[in-house]
Amino acid sequence: MSRVSIVDLQRMKAEKQKIVVMTAYDYTLARIVDRAGVDVILVGDSGGRYALGHDDSNEVTVDEMVIMARAAARGSERAMVVGDMPFMSYQVNDEQAVVNAGRFIQEAGVQAVKLEVGAEYASTVAAVVKAGIPVMAHMGSTPMANIGAGDFRSSSVDEDQVWRDARELVKAGSFSLLLTGISADLAQRITAEVHVPTIAGFGAGDHCDGQIGVTHPTIGLAAEELGRRRSNYGPVAVALLEAAEQFTQDVRAGKPVRSKRDAG
């Protein structure tokens, strides 16, 4: 089975076939979403919160991201796997960006990296691409651009600046744009203008070339779902809780609990 390639994504854009992106931070979850037929698995820095328990995604380190990305890459066969470069892994200089991006390719085995950038980092994107590493550019209202500003999803954006960012990042060699926190109208106009696939995050509407689902909140794989359902799919957390409760009850009742696999 061949992996989804950049050429495949470009073809999907040309044929107006929607691109599906979901996140995964470990081997098992990557195997499952890969089997579901998603086109791209993003090992996002959101894994710092959902998988590692950090209070903020900006606390996750390159070492932690590489471990999560390596696990997801091992668990996938078809989807392109993109590793998210975390806070301060590329902001100091272009050389640092290339070295850290190279770790995702060489150590984790992903096919591309994602950088949360605007036009001011076009040279950084260009340097990483020049090193032979494909870059997905994440732009709009983003977590790193709104450190200390509370919920970044409520932040407003300068539409003229977003246009400049999109054009410069495509010119720098980005193979895709992930758009978050911008209006659906602006996302639609950017999608129509640029030749690379656009992926809609929150707020960007339904007219981009694809959509991303952050898997844990999308399928309800979060403890918060146990108190009040928020997800559109699942919620998986409820099924996990019920299974764990049943296992606990069976063990305490002295019932056989060996699985078929344990039984050989």
Side-chain angles (χ1 to χ4, degrees), residues 195-260:
H195 68 273
V196 302
T198 61
I199 308 299
F202 76 93
D206 301 319
H207 297 289
C208 289
D209 298 306
Q211 292 274 345
I212 184 170
V214 179
T215 300
H216 284 64
T218 297
I219 67 173
L221 183 55
E224 290 75 15
E225 293 286 337
L226 302 178
R228 178 171 67 87
R229 179 168 179 169
R230 306 174 186 181
S231 61
N232 292 328
Y233 306 91
V236 172
V238 172
L240 285 174
L241 175 65
E242 292 174 348
E245 287 177 335
Q246 187 62 58
F247 177 80
T248 300
Q249 292 169 11
D250 289 349
V251 170
R252 288 176 176 160
K255 294 181 179 181
V257 295
R258 294 177 68 195
S259 68
K260 293 179 180 179

Side-chain angles (χ1 to χ4, degrees), residues 4 31 129 213:
V4 173
R31 286 190 70 187
V129 172

Side-chain angles (χ1 to χ4, degrees), residues 66-190:
V66 168
I67 290 172
M68 290 190 288
R70 182 188 299 152
R74 286 173 175 164
S76 64
E77 294 182 1
R78 176 186 177 274
M80 172 189 290
V81 181
V82 179
D84 199 358
M85 295 187 64
F87 182 57
M88 294 309 296
S89 65
Y90 56 88
Q91 287 91 339
V92 174
N93 54 51
D94 293 353
E95 181 179 1
Q96 180 202 54
V98 172
V99 170
N100 285 326
R103 291 191 61 190
F104 279 88
I105 302 298
Q106 188 173 41
E107 297 178 34
V110 304
Q111 289 73 58
V113 296
K114 178 176 80 65
L115 274 67
E116 190 178 305
V117 286
E120 69 275 16
Y121 283 99
S123 67
T124 303
V125 172
V128 175
V129 172
K130 184 178 180 181
I133 302 170
V135 173
M136 172 185 284
H138 182 181
M139 49 172 291
S141 181
T142 58
M144 289 185 202
N146 291 280
I147 294 175
D151 187 354
F152 74 96
R153 291 171 294 185
S154 62
S155 302
S156 60
V157 298
D158 180 339
E159 292 202 353
D160 289 336
Q161 182 60 52
V162 171
W163 272 113
R164 288 192 290 272
D165 290 342
R167 288 164 179 153
E168 290 301 315
L169 293 171
V170 171
K171 188 185 301 181
S174 302
F175 75 88
S176 177
L177 301 178
L178 172 57
L179 307 175
T180 54
I182 67 174
S183 69
D185 176 67
L186 178 58
Q188 184 175 13
R189 287 185 283 132
I190 290 174

